[in-house]
Amino acid sequence: MKVAIITGAAGLIGSEAVRFFSQKMDLVVGIDNNMRAYFFGDEASTLWNEQRLQEQVQNYKHIAADIRDFNAIEKVFNEYGKDISIVVHTAAQPSHDWAAKEPITDFAVNAIGTSNMLECTRLYAEKAVFIFTSTNKVYGDTPNFLPLVELEDRWEISKEHAYYENGIDEYMSIDQSKHSLFGASKVAADVLAQEYGRYFGMNVGVFRGGCLTGPMHSGTQLHGFLSYLMKCAITKDQYTVFGYKGKQVRDNIHSNDLINMFWHFYQNPRQGEVYNAGGGRFANCSMKEAITLCEKITGNKMNITYSETNRIGDHIWYISDLSKFRKHYPDWHWKYDLQTTAIEIFEFMKTRV
Ligand SMILES: NC(=O)c1ccc[n+]([C@@H]2O[C@H](COP(=O)([O-])OP(=O)(O)OC[C@H]3O[C@@H](n4cnc5c(N)ncnc54)[C@H](O)[C@@H]3O)[C@@H](O)[C@H]2O)c1
């Protein structure tokens, strides 16, 4: 029997992973305690998504455990032991702004929770593939010191710079920069996950996400950029742009393309390898460009306010370079460009707001 353990199962990436791996494994066990509602309020609750999984995925079992609770996690691993083929760890406190409110909670979920997951995998299923969803915030604000040029609708990196063609690679320093407390707790987890690969020889892949997106995001002001932007475009609720003249650039990867990266890694795993994972040059936009796109798709004029103050440590320009992953896994390709993703979010969001 093959079992997949997926944490954060009702979230954007977790729920996509549940559906994907339910086709590949005999059983998918999802762990999610809806802590997203505690972080961001009922608007961001993921219960609706958990219910859909319970109703629609036959070989799915949900466990509302907290990843901070070692005993509860150990119980799950003890039950399935060596049948566990893959662990996809996506549960997290995902917002830099929220982390400053409760640094201890943030660290407990992101760092201690990851430590619990890694250690249980080592103790009960050491041959399993372990996927850790890290973040580009591990690079702190170092990308903001690249030579950027201001264009009419976006910031761009200078054409002369090595990152111009493909974006930022995994060799950028994660040290001596401002990360936000969220970035720091993710660095702790990221390095720990690498170590379980390198020190213990376990099959660990660390995926440093740019903006991860898709219709299953429970978007809210503090997290879920494209999903929340589209929601505001539909409802005409006010949306606040924070700083950088609204020209800050993000690359966006659809949750399905990301899970496909995990699948390629699973089939030919490495030990403690790190990959940047985003839309790259294939799918990226500035805030201004994203607003224009949402207005075009919804046919609505958005209600935008602008705040001069940017979010602390927020990137001005970030595009992920996926060359390393594509070299290791040449059969993987992006399927979702930005417009396709945005339309899909719109079509699904219409049925929910
Ligand atoms: N969405 C992005 O743009 C983005 C970008 C870079 C990295 N990431 C990372 O990718 C991962 C997945 O992100 P997402 O957008 O799917 O997040 P999400 O918030 O949609 O999903 C995370 C899920 O984890 C659950 N959870 C939180 N704390 C928990 C706990 N203590 N115990 C059990 N469950 C808990 C939440 O209830 C939620 O359903 C996270 O690790 C995040 O840091 C996300």
mmCIF file of all heavy atoms in Angstrom, residues 7-9 31-32 67 88-93 109-110 114 132-133 186:
data_model
loop_
_atom_site.group_PDB
_atom_site.id
_atom_site.type_symbol
_atom_site.label_atom_id
_atom_site.label_comp_id
_atom_site.label_asym_id
_atom_site.label_seq_id
_atom_site.Cartn_x
_atom_site.Cartn_y
_atom_site.Cartn_z
ATOM 1 N N THR A 7 0.365 17.813 4.761
ATOM 2 C CA THR A 7 -0.027 18.780 5.790
ATOM 3 C C THR A 7 -0.521 20.060 5.108
ATOM 4 O O THR A 7 -0.148 20.356 3.970
ATOM 5 C CB THR A 7 1.147 19.155 6.718
ATOM 6 O OG1 THR A 7 2.072 19.965 5.985
ATOM 7 C CG2 THR A 7 1.846 17.926 7.277
ATOM 8 N N GLY A 8 -1.381 20.774 5.825
ATOM 9 C CA GLY A 8 -1.996 21.964 5.219
ATOM 10 C C GLY A 8 -2.933 21.538 4.112
ATOM 11 O O GLY A 8 -3.113 22.250 3.113
ATOM 12 N N ALA A 9 -3.560 20.361 4.301
ATOM 13 C CA ALA A 9 -4.305 19.695 3.217
ATOM 14 C C ALA A 9 -5.479 20.501 2.685
ATOM 15 O O ALA A 9 -5.900 20.292 1.545
ATOM 16 C CB ALA A 9 -4.795 18.328 3.712
ATOM 17 N N ILE A 31 -3.495 16.447 6.888
ATOM 18 C CA ILE A 31 -3.449 17.028 8.242
ATOM 19 C C ILE A 31 -3.690 18.528 8.107
ATOM 20 O O ILE A 31 -2.953 19.217 7.389
ATOM 21 C CB ILE A 31 -2.072 16.772 8.896
ATOM 22 C CG1 ILE A 31 -1.847 15.261 9.055
ATOM 23 C CG2 ILE A 31 -1.957 17.503 10.234
ATOM 24 C CD1 ILE A 31 -0.456 14.884 9.545
ATOM 25 N N ASP A 32 -4.734 19.041 8.753
ATOM 26 C CA ASP A 32 -5.013 20.485 8.711
ATOM 27 C C ASP A 32 -5.994 20.811 9.838
ATOM 28 O O ASP A 32 -7.041 20.178 9.940
ATOM 29 C CB ASP A 32 -5.617 20.890 7.356
ATOM 30 C CG ASP A 32 -5.519 22.391 7.105
ATOM 31 O OD1 ASP A 32 -5.862 23.176 8.005
ATOM 32 O OD2 ASP A 32 -5.095 22.772 6.002
ATOM 33 N N ILE A 67 0.319 20.569 13.636
ATOM 34 C CA ILE A 67 1.697 20.096 13.385
ATOM 35 C C ILE A 67 2.658 20.468 14.514
ATOM 36 O O ILE A 67 3.758 19.942 14.595
ATOM 37 C CB ILE A 67 2.270 20.593 12.024
ATOM 38 C CG1 ILE A 67 2.237 22.120 11.932
ATOM 39 C CG2 ILE A 67 1.553 19.921 10.856
ATOM 40 C CD1 ILE A 67 3.124 22.685 10.843
ATOM 41 N N VAL A 88 4.140 15.612 1.855
ATOM 42 C CA VAL A 88 4.155 16.956 1.278
ATOM 43 C C VAL A 88 3.781 17.914 2.406
ATOM 44 O O VAL A 88 2.635 17.925 2.864
ATOM 45 C CB VAL A 88 3.163 17.082 0.094
ATOM 46 C CG1 VAL A 88 3.258 18.471 -0.528
ATOM 47 C CG2 VAL A 88 3.414 16.010 -0.954
ATOM 48 N N HIS A 89 4.760 18.672 2.849
ATOM 49 C CA HIS A 89 4.546 19.515 4.035
ATOM 50 C C HIS A 89 4.290 20.959 3.615
ATOM 51 O O HIS A 89 5.219 21.696 3.276
ATOM 52 C CB HIS A 89 5.783 19.410 4.937
ATOM 53 C CG HIS A 89 5.733 20.320 6.115
ATOM 54 N ND1 HIS A 89 4.580 20.559 6.837
ATOM 55 C CD2 HIS A 89 6.702 21.069 6.721
ATOM 56 C CE1 HIS A 89 4.843 21.414 7.811
ATOM 57 N NE2 HIS A 89 6.113 21.742 7.757
ATOM 58 N N THR A 90 3.016 21.343 3.638
ATOM 59 C CA THR A 90 2.659 22.711 3.218
ATOM 60 C C THR A 90 2.059 23.547 4.345
ATOM 61 O O THR A 90 1.865 24.745 4.175
ATOM 62 C CB THR A 90 1.654 22.718 2.037
ATOM 63 O OG1 THR A 90 0.323 22.511 2.528
ATOM 64 C CG2 THR A 90 1.975 21.665 0.996
ATOM 65 N N ALA A 91 1.725 22.919 5.484
ATOM 66 C CA ALA A 91 1.084 23.692 6.566
ATOM 67 C C ALA A 91 2.053 24.759 7.068
ATOM 68 O O ALA A 91 3.234 24.484 7.271
ATOM 69 C CB ALA A 91 0.689 22.773 7.715
ATOM 70 N N ALA A 92 1.546 25.961 7.251
ATOM 71 C CA ALA A 92 2.425 27.051 7.675
ATOM 72 C C ALA A 92 1.621 28.248 8.138
ATOM 73 O O ALA A 92 0.432 28.370 7.838
ATOM 74 C CB ALA A 92 3.309 27.486 6.502
ATOM 75 N N GLN A 93 2.301 29.127 8.859
ATOM 76 C CA GLN A 93 1.825 30.495 9.015
ATOM 77 C C GLN A 93 2.484 31.206 7.841
ATOM 78 O O GLN A 93 3.698 31.356 7.801
ATOM 79 C CB GLN A 93 2.286 31.042 10.369
ATOM 80 C CG GLN A 93 1.704 32.410 10.732
ATOM 81 C CD GLN A 93 2.004 33.524 9.754
ATOM 82 O OE1 GLN A 93 1.121 33.956 8.994
ATOM 83 N NE2 GLN A 93 3.234 33.987 9.726
ATOM 84 N N VAL A 109 4.832 27.155 14.517
ATOM 85 C CA VAL A 109 4.185 26.490 13.367
ATOM 86 C C VAL A 109 5.216 26.215 12.273
ATOM 87 O O VAL A 109 5.341 25.081 11.788
ATOM 88 C CB VAL A 109 3.018 27.351 12.810
ATOM 89 C CG1 VAL A 109 2.463 26.723 11.534
ATOM 90 C CG2 VAL A 109 1.919 27.509 13.845
ATOM 91 N N ASN A 110 5.972 27.257 11.917
ATOM 92 C CA ASN A 110 6.847 27.111 10.744
ATOM 93 C C ASN A 110 8.117 26.297 11.022
ATOM 94 O O ASN A 110 8.492 25.442 10.216
ATOM 95 C CB ASN A 110 7.224 28.490 10.202
ATOM 96 C CG ASN A 110 6.037 29.168 9.532
ATOM 97 O OD1 ASN A 110 5.000 28.541 9.326
ATOM 98 N ND2 ASN A 110 6.162 30.434 9.209
ATOM 99 N N THR A 114 7.805 22.003 11.302
ATOM 100 C CA THR A 114 8.596 21.323 10.254
ATOM 101 C C THR A 114 9.546 20.316 10.886
ATOM 102 O O THR A 114 9.735 19.198 10.370
ATOM 103 C CB THR A 114 9.370 22.370 9.418
ATOM 104 O OG1 THR A 114 8.416 23.274 8.854
ATOM 105 C CG2 THR A 114 10.178 21.718 8.303
ATOM 106 N N PHE A 132 9.295 19.971 1.109
ATOM 107 C CA PHE A 132 9.055 21.130 1.971
ATOM 108 C C PHE A 132 8.776 22.365 1.126
ATOM 109 O O PHE A 132 9.571 22.723 0.248
ATOM 110 C CB PHE A 132 10.252 21.400 2.890
ATOM 111 C CG PHE A 132 10.065 22.665 3.695
ATOM 112 C CD1 PHE A 132 8.965 22.803 4.530
ATOM 113 C CD2 PHE A 132 10.958 23.718 3.604
ATOM 114 C CE1 PHE A 132 8.750 23.973 5.246
ATOM 115 C CE2 PHE A 132 10.760 24.894 4.325
ATOM 116 C CZ PHE A 132 9.647 25.016 5.151
ATOM 117 N N THR A 133 7.640 23.024 1.404
ATOM 118 C CA THR A 133 7.306 24.250 0.675
ATOM 119 C C THR A 133 7.906 25.445 1.419
ATOM 120 O O THR A 133 7.345 25.941 2.385
ATOM 121 C CB THR A 133 5.773 24.426 0.551
ATOM 122 O OG1 THR A 133 5.172 24.184 1.819
ATOM 123 C CG2 THR A 133 5.203 23.495 -0.486
ATOM 124 N N LYS A 186 10.929 30.570 8.336
ATOM 125 C CA LYS A 186 11.005 29.690 7.161
ATOM 126 C C LYS A 186 12.464 29.327 6.851
ATOM 127 O O LYS A 186 12.745 28.221 6.396
ATOM 128 C CB LYS A 186 10.347 30.348 5.938
ATOM 129 C CG LYS A 186 8.845 30.459 6.005
ATOM 130 C CD LYS A 186 8.093 29.139 6.038
ATOM 131 C CE LYS A 186 7.627 28.673 4.692
ATOM 132 N NZ LYS A 186 6.662 27.524 4.775
#
